Each structure stands twice: as structure tokens, then as C-alpha cells.
Amino acid sequence: MSDDLDLTPESQDPFDPTAKDESVKVTGMFQEWFLDYASYVILERAVPAIEDGFKPVHRRILHSMKDLDDGRYTKVANIVGHTMQYHPHGDASIGDAIVQIGQKDILIDTQGNWGNILTGDRAAASRYIEARLSKFALEVVFNPKTTEWQISYDGRKQEPVNLPVKFPMVLAQGAEGIAVGLSTKILPHNFIELIDASIMHLEGKRFSIFPDFATAGIADVSNYNDGLRGGKIRVRANIEVKDKNLLVINEIPYSTNTSTLIDSILKANDKGKIKIKKIEDNTSSDVEILVHLPNNISPDKTIDALFAFTNCEVSISPLSCVIIDDKPHFLGMSELLRMSTENTVELLKTELEIKLGELEEQWHFVSLEKIFIEKRIYRDIEEEETWEGVIEAIDRGLQPHIKHLKREITKDDISRLTEIRIKRISKFDLDKADQKIEALVADIEAVKQDLDHLIDYSINYFKMLKEKYGKGRERKTRIQLFEDIEATKVVIRNTKLYVNRSEGFIGTSMKKDEYVTDCSDIDDIICFTEDGTMMVTKVEGKTFIGKNILYVGIFKKKDKRTIYNLIYKDGKVGYSHMKRFAVTSITRDKAYSMGNDKPGTKVLYFSCNPNGEAELVTVFLRQKKGLKRLKFDIDFSDLAIKGRNVKGNLVSKMPIKSVEFKEEGVSTLKPRKIWFDEAVRRLNVDERGELLGAFKGEDRLLIIRQNGIAKTIIPELTTRFENDIIVMEKWNSKKPISLVYWEGEKEKYYVKRFQMDNADKEELIITEHPNSQLEAVSTDYIPRIEIEFKKTRGKDRRSNEVVNLEDFISIKGIKAQGNQLTSDLIKQIDLIQPLPSDKESEEVIVTETEDEKEDNQQSSLFD
């Protein structure tokens, strides 16, 4: 539309000859109307107000429910109809908003089918469900004496500008809305923690608050950023391993439901990201999703894959926006809570001031009434014939007795005195009047005391809310740091990789060519060619690498344990060199030369070793006059591991005919140090948490859980660990395990010592009785315990006793019950310092030598 097009304003009559010829450009009209519309959506629909935490529709719903409140449940359809007197929108939006409030279980008591936030099922129609205000809402949200009122949209009713909410409601319920040009997403927080934080703020202490969701789950709030723009919170489902073929999901992330969660799992399965047998949804009041796994599929790896590829982990970006003084403001959660708490203090102050005024008014009138009756002033009006005369007579009669009053007597005061009935005057009791005045004085002093100590009064108010309404509102979402999951490490290998070595192609669609390995569609592939070129590329249907491919494999980023052994001929001078190197980082699809990048360079020998093995090879030289030694052996273990770009060590200046593998070698890498990070309950090699030791390929980890299950495992970084582990250490098969346990059937403490005989088997090391439980476990050679006995009636309490478990019982089988510890009643058993043993050999943690440090630094420079 042209900018020059003018329209006559609607307020102007085009047929009025006296009207002025005025026009408005369409562009100006559009700008003005758009701003009006944007302001309306922001202020009246999408964003909550700071004062009460409600959007207008929620505020009108609660006001309507207060109008209708008689203590009984009301049909939601009736509430919707009543709200439409205040709300200029349709019944559908009001009904949906009521359901949203009801499902949060704070302000509304519900009855009927209100839907299920766990399954995503919708609520029944509004004519079938009922609601009433909760006791908490009646106490916290409403007070007509402190409410500011305004005319409703049609001018027929009065509605609150804001409700006088004495609680950080916007943080408890959360809020979400999309306006014109901005949006808000305030996550719900825990009821009890908000009260505690408000108290801490009033006490001048620092506090922090984090989201809590009705769907429970686990949340990583390390990047929450106080709910401001740019923050992020990661929420995960709680997944438990029932057995090796069954996973149970019993808590789901916020913003999901069981239907969307299951759909995402099935979708990931169809794409080959994960592999499941079947899935069942048994959710009712509690979440229960059963994920059945095929045989030979790792449950731990599947859990990681569920987090990586499905809605079992979601990322939520909060954006805190509220209305303050009719303008949108972006505030952090801490600032919102401070402002809400200060607003509560002001409301409590206003209520106290109103109460003080009412009490003083009562005291004033009761005092006047006492004077009026006690001094028989009512007799002074008997002769008066006019109303003015009555008023003046009473005023004259009161004047000598009102010096102690706190304000002047008004005409309204005297009018109220004339309304006292004769029956009340005749039965007037002076003592009761004095008692009432004294009670009012005491109440006035109490209110003044509260006003003078307003902060203490406010703290007690919050404590009252916590005690009265906090039961059952404990935190549901557990806060925990999450480990980063690399998708390439957990994805199921869902396709096959092929290679045409001579032509130089690799890919998943080349089914007529040589099969290499199973892979996933997100893997990177590393290739080496005969001319010494290395390239890493993404898995595709068919990709050209370069002719005469020597090696194709799956590339693992930052992998320092896969070592490549190489002998190559220098294309420039013809000498042969050898080197060992790792490939930890690259630029994808870039060609790297492992030789000297000169024409004629040729790889004579190549091997890939997943654990740094160094083999023995035989080098055959070409026949040459005067050359006596035509073959010799080379041991790669004599060569240090350096960067991939180094030239390497000289093998021979003579031409090499061939290089042949002769003998397998062992790993030349130092044992790998492994740590356990308690925060994420994972193993790592990044020095986070507790150092468990240095592990070689055959070393195992001993795990003993509180439920009496013991096992040894190969320490893989993808393993997930339970929360009830009491022993986690490098396993020494020669060391005995000593334990004290409560035998459930005999109800006595027993001691046993044993060794783990079967490294691959999970064992129950206590009896199977359901009441049996571990008391103390030690892996020391000579452990000791101290026993504290209970006092027996009529006898002196037995002194504490120290028991050497090595002397107490010999090493027996893992299934043995053990020996009874004592027949006396035991109060407590504690492990104490073990005795030294000749069998103990201090485990040496392998450290880098100076040469290794130099080699590693050099390698990192080349990487």
C-alpha cells in the first residue's frame, strides 16, 4: 500500500459540509494501532504483575471464585460464566486458565477429573468438574480492605487492580506467556524453599532458589543464571535399572509427559539411535514406563543414549519478565523474591495499621458509650424537641469528661450514641465496660508492638505459613550436576561401513565392496592411504578419500590410547623412517600427511593399536651389492609416542623391500588413572573427584552396595553407579572382605570374611532375609571394630569392646553365614583404625617421567 494514501478519520462525518478536511496517513495509523495492540497483549494477557504474580485472567478467576465462595465446591462452568463478567474473552480461555491453576495445587481445591500432568490427559468438560478456593488462598490472597479497585471492562462491576497476595506467588506457580515482541518463562519453585528464602532475606542473609517441578525428575541448575535471559536448566527423567533387560522410568522432565516421552523413545529407536525390544506405559497416579531391552544391550549405555537422543533429557531456557508500573521488566529470581517479600511486609504493615485504626475506633466509641451512660447524659435530651438540639445537648454533656480521648468527637459519634437502646442502657455493667476497654488497650498495644517490630512480625508470618501449609510440599526435583554425554559414544551402531581400497571410496551404501565395521550415522571415520595421507570424515553413503586405502576405522576424539605405528619411505631422499603417534584432534575433511608430504612417499608398514600395543616387525631390504644384512627386526616398544607430525626415527638409508609382522607386543602406555566424581556418579580421567587408582586393561573395580550386593567390574567411563555404594576401590583379588551384618531371621549380628571368587558374577554377601542389612564393611587385611553395648535393666552397662576381625573369624566362602558377633544387646558398631599387616603393599600410582611429560607436551603441540 502506498505511503501517500490518506483515510478520513472515523470520528469525522464525510457528509458534514462544516467539517474540516483532515487526513491521516496509513503508516501512522498502523504504527499507532500496532503499539496499542502490543501494549495490550503485554499488560493484559501474557505477562504477570509483580504485585500478585497473576495475569489478568487468573486474577479475575480468583476474584470471581471469592465472590462465589460459600465453602462448598462450585461447578467450573459456573465460575467461567461468573468470570466473564470481568474478563473480555471467551469461555474456553477462562476454562483452560482455571485448569492450569487447579493443576498446580496451590490456590484451588479440585474435585473431578482435572486431567493428568504426567500423561498429558486433558481435564473433563467444565460442567463436570468442580472447584473452590483453598484455605491457603483464602488466607494469603484476599483482603478487601487492602485491595485497590477499578471498573471492569463494561463498566458494570468493580474488579481488583491487583490482589493483595502475601506470598511470592509468581515464583511458586511459575508463569509462561508470549506477547508481542517479548515473552516470559518463569519456572515454578518449591513452596517451602521460597518461605525459607523470604525469611533469610528479612534476616539479612544471602539465599539462592532453584526450580522445583511437579513431575519431579533431576535438574542441573549450574547454568540457571537466576532465571535471567541466557540461563539454561537441564532436566532429566529418573531411570532405574531393574535388571539387565529392563529399565524403569519413574520420573519425567518438566514440560514433557509420558506420551511425548514414549513417542521420542520410539522415534529414536526407529532411527537406530537406540535399540529397545518394547515399551510399556503403566502410569496412573505415579509414572511407570517400562523399557524392555534386547539381549546383549548395555543398560548403562542405553540410559545415556536415552538422555542424548530422546526427551528423557530436555533443556529449558528461562526468561523472567514481569510487569512493574505498567512496564515489562526483566528481573532475576532472587530480585523477584526480594520484591515480593518486601511487598508482603508492606501489606502486613497496612493490615496492622488498618487493624490499629479499627481498634482505636472501638476504644473511642466504647469510652464515649461509658461516659454517655455512666454520667446519665442521655437524660439531657428529654426536653429537646429538635434533632439539632439533641446533638448539642449530648455534646454539652460530654465535654467535661472527654479530656482523655485521643481525638475530637464528631457528629457521627453523637449520632451513634443516640442509637443505643434503652434496654442496653438499663443493663449497662460498668465493670464489663472497663474490662472491654482494658482488653482493647491491650490489643492496641500488641498491634503497636507488631508495627514497631515489623520485620519480626513478618518472619513469624512466613513461619506460620510454612507450619500450616508446608506439609507435603517438600522438594520433588533432585538437584544434581550432569555429566556431558558424547552422542558418538552411546549411539547404537545402526549401519555398516564399506570400503573400496583401490579406488579410494568409503561409505554405507557400497554393499558390494569390502565390509569394515558397524557404525552409526553420526560417527566420524578415520582413513590412512598408502601415500601417507590421513583424513577424518563424516559417515556418508559414499565418500572419496584417496586411492590405495590402508586403514579405515571409527575415529574417537581426544583418544590418547589408540596408537598408530608407522614405517614409511621418504619421497624426497628415499630414506625410511618409523614413528608412533596418537590422533586426538583434527579438522574434518582436511588431508594430513603422516610422511613428509613429498611425491613418492609410501607407507611400508601400518598398524592401529587400541591400547598402545607395540609389536615386533621384520624389515627386508632390497638386494644390493656389498650389502650383507638383508633383514633385521624392529621393536616398536623402543620408540616413544610423539606427535603425528614428527619425522620419526631413521629405520634404514637402504631401500626396503617389505616389512612383515613378526610378534605381538604389549601395551607401552602407563596405567590409566581413574577418578570417581561423586557429583555426577561417574568415572573419569579428568582428575575430578576421588582418585581410585591406576588401572591396566585387566584391572577391575570392587563395588559393594548397602543392599548387600557385591561385584567387580571393568572400569568403563560410561558406567552409571547407584546412590547406595559404600565400597568402591581397585580390586585386589588377594585381599579379604570383612563385614558385620544384621541377620534378619535370627535378629543377631554376624561377622564373615571372604574373597571374591568369581570376578564376573554379582553376589549377595548377606543372607536373603528381607530384614538383613549391612552394618560395617572393610577391605583391610586386619580390620577392627568397636562395639558399644546397650544397658540391660538391673545391670551395669558393659564396657566398649574392640574386636580384631582377623582373629575373630577365618576366611570362608562367600555364601557362608559367618559367626555370631555377641549375644549381648548392641547399641552401635564402628570401624576403627586397622592394624598394619605384612601382606599390605602400598599401591603405587604411576606418574609421568620427565621424558614422558616432554613427549606428551610435544604431542599436544602437534595436535
Side-chain angles (χ1 to χ4, degrees):
M1 185 177 290
S2 172
D3 287 350
D4 296 327
L5 181 59
D6 294 343
L7 296 180
T8 301
E10 293 181 1
S11 59
Q12 179 179 316
D13 185 355
F15 300 103
D16 184 1
T18 63
K20 295 181 179 179
D21 186 13
E22 295 181 356
S23 61
V24 179
K25 290 186 177 182
V26 171
T27 52
M29 295 171 65
F30 175 79
Q31 183 178 12
E32 183 179 343
W33 292 347
F34 180 80
L35 289 175
D36 288 344
Y37 173 70
S39 300
Y40 168 74
V41 173
I42 293 170
L43 299 177
E44 297 296 326
R45 291 177 63 180
V47 184
I50 183 65
E51 289 83 0
D52 56 11
F54 296 132
K55 298 178 184 179
V57 62
H58 299 142
R59 187 179 303 117
R60 288 162 180 152
I61 288 169
L62 293 169
H63 174 61
S64 297
M65 292 185 71
K66 187 68 171 71
D67 281 348
L68 296 170
D69 182 56
D70 58 2
R72 297 180 295 176
Y73 288 100
T74 304
K75 288 286 186 183
V76 169
N78 291 342
I79 299 173
V80 171
H82 197 277
T83 306
M84 290 179 72
Q85 299 177 75
Y86 306 98
H87 193 61
H89 299 290
D91 56 345
S93 62
I94 298 173
D96 290 343
I98 293 175
V99 170
Q100 289 174 11
I101 301 175
Q103 288 179 339
K104 291 173 181 176
D105 193 29
I106 297 178
L107 299 175
I108 297 179
D109 286 340
T110 61
Q111 185 166 273
N113 177 16
W114 280 69
N116 191 331
I117 60 172
L118 301 177
T119 62
D121 295 334
R122 291 180 58 84
S126 59
R127 61 184 179 275
Y128 298 125
I129 56 177
E130 297 177 321
R132 67 182 178 190
L133 291 170
S134 67
K135 292 180 180 179
F136 174 76
L138 290 170
E139 179 158 346
V140 168
V141 175
F142 304 100
N143 188 341
K145 296 177 183 179
T146 57
T147 302
E148 181 183 354
W149 302 91
Q150 64 183 0
I151 301 299
S152 63
Y153 74 100
D154 61 359
R156 289 187 172 92
K157 295 278 186 178
Q158 279 207 330
E159 63 175 342
V161 176
N162 294 115
L163 289 169
V165 178
K166 301 185 291 294
F167 187 78
M169 196 64 67
V170 69
L171 295 174
Q173 292 198 125
E176 189 168 354
I178 300 175
V180 179
L182 61 80
S183 63
T184 186
K185 192 180 186 70
I186 300 173
L187 302 180
H189 293 67
N190 181 261
F191 182 92
I192 296 174
E193 291 175 8
L194 290 176
I195 292 177
D196 291 339
S198 295
I199 293 173
M200 292 176 72
H201 169 61
L202 293 176
E203 292 175 341
K205 300 177 181 177
R206 299 181 65 180
F207 64 88
S208 57
I209 51 175
F210 299 108
D212 185 29
F213 307 118
T215 55
I218 312 167
D220 184 342
V221 298
S222 55
N223 294 321
Y224 184 45
N225 194 30
D226 206 28
L228 289 167
R229 187 195 307 270
K232 183 177 70 171
I233 179 172
R234 296 161 63 190
V235 190
R236 286 180 176 176
N238 187 62
I239 308 176
E240 297 179 355
V241 180
K242 198 73 173 178
D243 57 50
K244 63 180 182 180
N245 295 119
L246 180 62
L247 302 178
V248 179
I249 302 174
N250 49 31
E251 295 174 7
I252 60 176
Y254 178 69
S255 77
T256 68
N257 55 60
T258 56
S259 298
T260 58
L261 190 66
I262 290 172
D263 288 344
S264 71
I265 294 174
L266 295 175
K267 187 175 180 181
N269 182 66
D270 293 340
K271 289 185 175 180
K273 306 292 186 185
I274 61 174
K275 188 174 289 186
I276 64 172
K277 191 174 181 181
K278 66 175 180 177
I279 190 166
E280 299 177 61
D281 187 5
N282 297 333
T283 302
S284 55
S285 58
D286 297 315
V287 173
E288 186 180 70
I289 301 173
L290 304 180
V291 182
H292 297 267
L293 305 180
N295 293 328
N296 302 320
I297 295 294
S298 166
D300 290 338
K301 194 172 180 180
T302 302
I303 291 175
D304 283 347
L306 288 171
F307 291 146
F309 302 114
T310 75
N311 285 347
C312 287
E313 178 181 326
V314 297
S315 179
I316 303 171
S317 298
L319 178 58
S320 171
C321 180
V322 292
I323 300 299
I324 303 176
D325 296 331
D326 291 333
K327 294 179 182 178
H329 288 73
F330 296 93
L331 300 176
M333 298 296 98
S334 300
E335 184 61 24
L336 274 180
L337 184 121
R338 291 187 190 97
M339 295 182 70
S340 176
T341 303
E342 295 297 335
N343 183 59
T344 298
V345 173
E346 286 302 313
L347 287 171
L348 291 172
K349 179 182 178 182
T350 304
E351 289 180 356
L352 287 173
E353 290 172 343
I354 292 172
K355 184 179 180 181
L356 178 62
E358 291 174 345
L359 289 171
E360 289 180 337
E361 279 298 306
Q362 290 181 46
W363 178 87
H364 179 80
F365 184 74
V366 171
S367 299
L368 276 181
E369 184 183 63
K370 177 186 174 184
I371 296 169
F372 181 71
I373 298 174
E374 183 183 11
K375 304 302 181 182
R376 302 181 185 275
I377 296 173
Y378 55 85
R379 290 183 177 180
D380 297 346
I381 65 175
E382 293 176 355
E383 304 297 328
E384 299 295 333
E385 297 180 356
T386 64
W387 175 250
E388 287 76 10
V390 170
I391 297 298
E392 291 176 2
I394 295 174
D395 189 28
R396 284 194 306 269
L398 291 173
Q399 288 303 319
H401 311 288
I402 60 173
K403 294 180 181 179
H404 67 289
L405 297 181
K406 299 176 182 179
R407 69 170 175 83
E408 294 182 356
I409 300 173
T410 65
K411 189 174 181 179
D412 289 338
D413 294 333
I414 298 175
S415 297
R416 285 184 65 187
L417 292 174
T418 63
E419 296 172 1
I420 301 175
R421 296 183 179 183
I422 296 298
K423 183 177 181 180
R424 185 174 171 191
I425 294 174
S426 63
K427 291 188 175 183
F428 181 76
D429 188 327
L430 182 60
D431 291 336
K432 287 185 177 179
D434 288 337
Q435 290 175 5
K436 187 174 183 180
I437 290 173
E438 290 175 2
L440 287 170
V441 169
D443 291 342
I444 289 171
E445 290 302 317
V447 173
K448 287 181 177 179
Q449 177 75 7
D450 290 337
L451 281 169
D452 291 339
H453 301 83
L454 185 60
I455 298 301
D456 292 336
Y457 176 79
S458 302
I459 290 174
N460 291 330
Y461 169 80
F462 280 111
K463 289 180 178 178
M464 178 274 296
L465 291 182
K466 180 178 178 180
E467 182 178 353
K468 196 171 182 180
Y469 302 106
K471 188 176 180 180
R473 298 187 183 276
E474 293 78 13
R475 169 168 284 277
K476 294 183 178 180
T477 302
R478 284 171 288 130
I479 294 177
Q480 180 180 314
L481 283 175
F482 291 169
E483 73 285 1
D484 292 327
I485 297 173
E486 294 185 34
T488 55
K489 291 185 178 180
V490 298
V491 67
I492 297 296
R493 302 287 168 82
N494 56 358
T495 187
K496 297 182 184 299
L497 180 66
Y498 302 90
V499 62
N500 185 321
R501 296 182 184 272
S502 59
E503 297 296 324
F505 288 93
I506 64 167
T508 57
S509 62
M510 304 159 48
K511 297 184 179 180
K512 294 182 179 180
D513 292 301
E514 177 189 344
Y515 165 76
V516 178
T517 184
D518 288 350
C519 65
S520 72
D521 52 10
I522 63 172
D523 277 335
D524 286 324
I525 305 300
I526 185 169
C527 302
F528 291 85
T529 59
E530 193 177 73
D531 63 359
T533 300
M534 179 198 77
M535 181 184 292
V536 175
T537 187
K538 198 78 174 172
V539 168
E540 299 288 350
K542 188 174 183 179
T543 304
F544 179 73
I545 300 297
K547 292 189 176 183
N548 299 319
I549 296 175
L550 292 177
Y551 173 80
V552 180
I554 296 173
F555 176 68
K556 299 176 183 178
K557 193 176 181 182
K558 298 180 181 179
D559 180 10
K560 296 181 179 180
R561 299 193 71 83
T562 298
I563 304 300
Y564 302 97
N565 297 339
L566 181 69
I567 299 177
Y568 69 96
K569 184 187 75 171
D570 189 323
K572 183 177 182 181
V573 296
Y575 295 169
S576 299
H577 293 83
M578 63 183 295
K579 62 181 182 177
R580 304 182 71 210
F581 60 93
V583 181
T584 56
S585 60
I586 46 83
T587 301
R588 189 181 289 135
D589 296 325
K590 177 181 177 181
Y592 295 86
S593 175
M594 299 297 102
N596 63 356
D597 200 18
K598 300 294 182 181
T601 298
K602 182 180 181 181
V603 175
L604 303 174
Y605 178 84
F606 178 90
S607 68
C608 174
N609 306 279
N611 200 34
E613 293 84 357
E615 64 270 28
L616 189 67
V617 297
T618 301
V619 177
F620 295 89
L621 301 179
R622 292 189 180 277
Q623 188 76 36
K624 190 174 182 181
K625 187 177 180 180
L627 187 63
K628 297 180 180 179
R629 189 183 177 194
L630 296 179
K631 74 171 185 176
F632 54 90
D633 293 340
I634 290 180
D635 191 346
F636 274 99
S637 64
D638 296 332
L639 193 64
I641 299 171
K642 297 190 177 182
R644 64 168 182 255
N645 288 344
V646 299
K647 185 176 182 179
N649 290 7
L650 180 67
V651 175
S652 175
K653 295 182 178 181
M654 300 294 109
I656 293 178
K657 180 180 179 181
S658 64
V659 181
E660 295 181 0
F661 173 84
K662 182 176 182 180
E663 186 180 307
E664 289 185 358
V666 296
S667 175
T668 58
L669 300 178
K670 63 181 183 293
R672 183 170 61 164
K673 297 179 190 177
I674 295 181
W675 284 260
F676 177 68
D677 188 344
E678 179 70 29
V680 299
R681 305 203 64 77
R682 287 293 187 96
L683 303 177
N684 68 88
V685 294
D686 304 321
E687 302 185 14
R688 300 193 316 270
E690 177 188 357
L691 178 61
L692 298 178
F695 290 76
K696 297 180 181 179
E698 67 277 6
D699 290 337
R700 300 177 77 91
L701 198 62
L702 173 64
I703 305 292
I704 301 178
R705 297 172 57 192
Q706 184 63 56
N707 61 4
I709 298 295
K711 60 183 177 180
T712 66
I713 63 170
I714 296 174
E716 296 179 355
L717 302 186
T718 57
T719 303
R720 307 181 65 85
F721 293 93
E722 298 84 356
N723 293 321
D724 62 346
I725 292 176
I726 55 178
V727 173
M728 177 187 289
E729 62 181 44
K730 186 177 179 181
W731 181 45
N732 182 345
S733 60
K734 297 180 180 179
K735 288 181 71 174
I737 299 171
S738 307
L739 62 92
V740 181
Y741 72 99
W742 174 262
E743 209 292 310
E745 182 178 358
K746 298 182 180 179
E747 296 186 343
K748 297 288 183 181
Y749 285 102
Y750 278 76
V751 178
K752 61 187 290 186
R753 301 183 77 221
F754 60 91
Q755 290 176 330
M756 294 288 291
D757 299 324
N758 192 334
D760 297 315
K761 186 177 180 182
E762 193 173 79
E763 300 276 10
L764 180 65
I765 58 176
I766 59 177
T767 57
E768 295 181 357
H769 194 278
N771 293 335
S772 296
Q773 60 181 16
L774 276 175
E775 183 68 22
V777 182
S778 173
T779 56
D780 295 306
Y781 282 102
I782 311 178
R784 296 189 301 160
I785 60 172
E786 182 177 8
I787 306 173
E788 181 181 351
F789 297 95
K790 290 183 179 179
K791 186 179 183 304
T792 305
R793 182 179 296 179
K795 296 182 180 180
D796 293 336
R797 188 179 71 84
R798 184 177 170 183
S799 300
N800 290 4
E801 182 178 344
V802 174
V803 178
N804 181 329
L805 297 185
E806 183 190 41
D807 295 340
F808 187 85
I809 186 173
S810 60
I811 297 174
K812 298 182 178 180
I814 195 169
K815 293 297 184 183
Q817 185 180 67
N819 294 350
Q820 182 177 322
L821 180 59
T822 179
S823 58
D824 292 333
L825 296 177
I826 294 176
K827 182 179 180 181
Q828 186 172 322
I829 299 174
D830 295 313
L831 281 170
I832 60 175
Q833 184 69 29
L835 295 176
S837 171
D838 295 336
K839 300 177 183 178
E840 282 184 330
S841 58
E842 188 173 339
E843 185 174 340
V844 178
I845 304 297
V846 179
T847 57
E848 292 177 329
T849 64
E850 293 302 318
D851 290 339
E852 287 174 324
K853 288 181 180 180
E854 184 179 346
D855 291 342
N856 290 336
Q857 291 170 359
Q858 184 178 4
S859 176
S860 64
L861 289 175
F862 284 114
D863 289 342

